[in-house]
Every structure is written in C-alpha cells, then in structure tokens.
Amino acid sequence: MPIRIPDALPAAEVLRKENIFVMDETRAIHQDIRPMEVVLLNLMPKKIDTENQILRLLANTPLQVNVKLLRIDHRESNNTPSSHLERFYRDFDDIKDQNFDGLIVTGAPLGQVPFDEVYYWDEVRNVIEWSRTHVTSTLFLCWAAQAALNYLYGLPKMTRGQKLSGVYEHRTLNRDNPLVRGFDDYFLAPLSRYADFDAGFIGEHTELQILADHPEAGVYLAASDDLRQIFVTGHPEYDFDTLDQEYQRDLKAGINPVLPENYYPQDDASQTPRARWRSHASLLYSNWINYCVYQITPYDLAKMPPKDEPQAKQLAG
C-alpha cells in the first residue's frame, strides 16, 4: 500500500522515481481504508534529505500511511528553504488536540550540548509528554532517544569523549519481541553520535527491554514492554553517502573528525561508500508500523488506549 503525502513535497517525486507507490490525497480519500496517521518531528538540519529517507522507509509497508510533518524550531534555517517549511510543516499547536497512530522524532546535531541549553528543549519535552496520551507508539531516533530517556526515566546525559561514526555490527537480542522479528543474528546499522547508551546502565535503571546492542557502541534498540516507546540510537534511515557528507563537513570545519568506522571501502575516503543496512532499516520500520502501531492502535483514534507508566529504577547516588 502507498504512503500518502502532499503531491508537491519534494519526496513525492524522489519516491516515484524509485518506483515507490505514492498516493495523492484526492485518490486516498476515495479508498474505504483508514490510513495510519503518523507525525514526523524533523529536528535534522537538512530536513528535505531526512524527509526522503524516512518517508522511503514508511512507504515500504503493506499499510496506507498518512504523514504530517512537524516542526518546533522557528529560527531561520541554513539548510532548508523557509518556503518549504511554511508550506509543508505544521506547528505543535495545530496538532496537539489530535491523536495519532505513530510519532517519529528524529535525531539532531546536539550531542555535545547540555539539555537545558538546547534552544527548543521545553518544546521537545512537551512533545514527549503529549505523546504519552496522544500517540499509540513513538519512535525516538539517536539524539531524540537520549532526550526521551532523560525525560521519561530521569537518565542523565551521557556523552562520549570521541564521536561514534560508522557502520557497526549489532547483535540481536530477545527474539520473542515482534520488533526484531525476522532480524538476522547480527546486522549493520549506521551510527553518528556523541551520546553514550551503556547497556548495563540502562538495564539497571529502567525496565526497558534491550533488543540489540554492540560491545563498544552499547544499546542500539530498546523498547518499553507495551511497545509504545521505541528507542533507536542510530540512523537506519541514512543514505549511502550521509556519513560521508558529515565527515567532509567536519573536515572543512577543522574539527579533525575520526574516519567513519567500517564505512569506506578499504578505509579509503576517496572511494564511494556502499549502503549495507537498507534491508535491516526496512524491516525495522515495517515491524514498527505493523506490530507496534497497527496491531495496537484503535480504529477510532479518539479512543486512545491507556499507556503504561515508564518504569524507572532508583538512580544510585
């Protein structure tokens, strides 16, 4: 089934060229199907790139998905035309009285910034709190996962001395959880973060089920018992060259970044990298939409089921 987005959104043309079924709104309203209503809170600087990446994954499901784009930062963007933001994005006040099947909160380049110094920290917390009563299942990506762990479970911000950047082989755990149904024993996924997600610490201080990890990078995938809060600490949506763009950007900025691990052929940055994580990314999003959203959400969104309270254990000290 198709993804339903405005015809004029740049992602519509991109996805059509990839033979992904994109349905215009006129045709969609004549189908006797209730689509999944999903909100994408896009905090990434290159918003159009991120739209394309995530909408591509949402389109790879058997369900009709209606996506609304949300923003909470109204400062002038250096990477996205203001006309695009004004035309396609909604403000939180426009949707806060509605219920939704799913919410995706993207990462943001804020890994070294304390939470209370983030320009829109109050707005992020408001969205997280709102999601507990207005959304069936929420997918927190990278920085958003760290922010949600802080707000929901009181976990302190944990920052690594050196950025994790590259493609890491993660181990699949707890195979009885439907979110990892069909996963290989080990799978690749891109990481690009300063945040530290220590498996022992998260296991000790929350009731979250850890579904995938890496010995160096820590937790990659975790979920609440009711599957209504999902934490992904990487960027499965990344294109083949996104890590390369970030690496080249940091080089030009004089940051002297580390070479992304396990990414360039022969660790040679002059060679074109290859995406080796797309099948995992598609399966993750398909499982989320099917098992965490579609199988749980009510037909009438006005009847949002109650959500389990986050279970945080007492922090030591």
Side-chain angles (χ1 to χ4, degrees):
M1 290 297 290
I3 188 169
R4 177 180 165 187
I5 55 179
D7 245 11
L9 191 72
E13 183 61 24
V14 171
L15 298 181
R16 285 194 181 101
K17 288 181 178 178
E18 297 176 9
N19 292 319
I20 293 175
F21 187 7
V22 179
M23 178 177 285
D24 61 67
E25 295 183 0
T26 302
R27 181 175 178 185
I29 62 176
H30 287 90
Q31 289 199 334
D32 190 19
I33 296 172
R34 184 178 85 72
M36 297 292 97
E37 299 288 343
V38 174
V39 176
L40 171 59
L41 173 54
N42 191 353
L43 303 176
M44 293 291 277
K46 295 184 176 181
K47 297 198 184 308
I48 295 176
D49 287 352
T50 302
E51 293 162 18
N52 294 343
Q53 292 166 358
I54 292 180
L55 292 175
R56 180 182 295 117
L57 293 171
L58 288 175
N60 195 34
T61 74
L63 303 169
Q64 187 183 127
V65 181
N66 184 24
V67 180
K68 291 182 172 62
L69 302 175
L70 178 66
R71 66 171 176 168
I72 55 175
D73 185 358
H74 290 80
R75 295 174 296 176
E76 185 175 354
S77 172
N78 295 323
N79 301 282
T80 307
S82 58
S83 59
H84 180 86
L85 296 172
E86 293 297 329
R87 183 174 185 181
F88 297 112
Y89 278 75
R90 304 184 183 206
D91 295 330
F92 183 54
D93 284 345
D94 297 332
I95 69 163
K96 66 180 183 181
D97 295 327
Q98 304 173 45
N99 292 340
F100 292 89
D101 299 296
L103 167 67
I104 300 170
V105 186
T106 73
L110 298 168
Q112 295 179 296
V113 182
F115 288 134
D116 58 5
E117 294 181 17
V118 171
Y119 175 78
Y120 44 70
W121 180 234
D122 287 342
E123 288 81 359
V124 168
R125 292 191 300 174
N126 287 340
V127 171
I128 295 173
E129 179 60 32
W130 167 84
S131 73
R132 295 175 58 198
T133 53
H134 289 76
V135 179
T136 297
S137 185
T138 301
L139 198 63
F140 298 104
L141 306 178
C142 202
W143 180 83
Q146 189 181 44
L149 287 172
N150 176 263
Y151 179 77
L152 295 171
Y153 295 94
L155 300 192
K157 184 179 179 67
M158 302 178 70
T159 305
R160 302 174 61 92
Q162 189 175 66
K163 184 180 182 180
L164 271 174
S165 177
V167 180
Y168 292 79
E169 186 177 61
H170 298 90
R171 174 183 58 161
T172 302
L173 306 169
N174 295 306
R175 289 193 164 278
D176 58 334
N177 192 295
L179 193 59
V180 293
R181 185 163 294 167
F183 276 32
D184 289 329
D185 294 341
Y186 290 84
F187 63 90
L188 297 173
L191 303 182
S192 178
R193 54 175 165 83
Y194 284 97
D196 189 14
F197 295 93
D198 181 78
F201 187 80
I202 292 175
E204 182 179 355
H205 297 298
T206 77
E207 297 292 345
L208 293 174
Q209 189 174 40
I210 297 174
L211 303 177
D213 68 0
H214 181 276
E216 177 188 355
V219 173
Y220 171 75
L221 180 63
S224 59
D225 286 341
D226 59 3
L227 296 177
R228 297 185 68 177
Q229 288 149 345
I230 313 298
F231 304 85
V232 182
T233 71
H235 288 282
E237 76 281 0
Y238 268 11
D239 290 326
F240 78 98
D241 60 348
T242 307
L243 287 175
D244 176 64
Q245 292 179 24
E246 294 178 350
Y247 178 65
Q248 300 299 334
R249 175 201 64 196
D250 291 349
L251 280 176
K252 291 179 180 178
I255 297 176
N256 192 29
V258 296
L259 190 74
E261 185 173 344
N262 195 30
Y263 178 57
Y264 295 108
Q266 290 80 53
D267 287 332
D268 181 356
S270 69
Q271 296 195 41
T272 301
R274 297 186 294 269
R276 296 174 291 147
W277 55 87
R278 285 179 180 147
S279 57
H280 150 71
S282 294
L283 186 55
L284 173 63
Y285 272 75
S286 295
N287 284 351
W288 176 65
I289 283 288
N290 185 28
Y291 299 116
C292 306
V293 179
Y294 179 67
Q295 301 291 344
I296 298 174
T297 198
Y299 185 84
D300 182 357
L301 276 174
K303 301 176 180 178
M304 184 64 60
K307 181 173 293 194
D308 291 348
E309 289 293 321
Q311 298 297 308
K313 302 176 184 178
Q314 185 66 38
L315 288 174

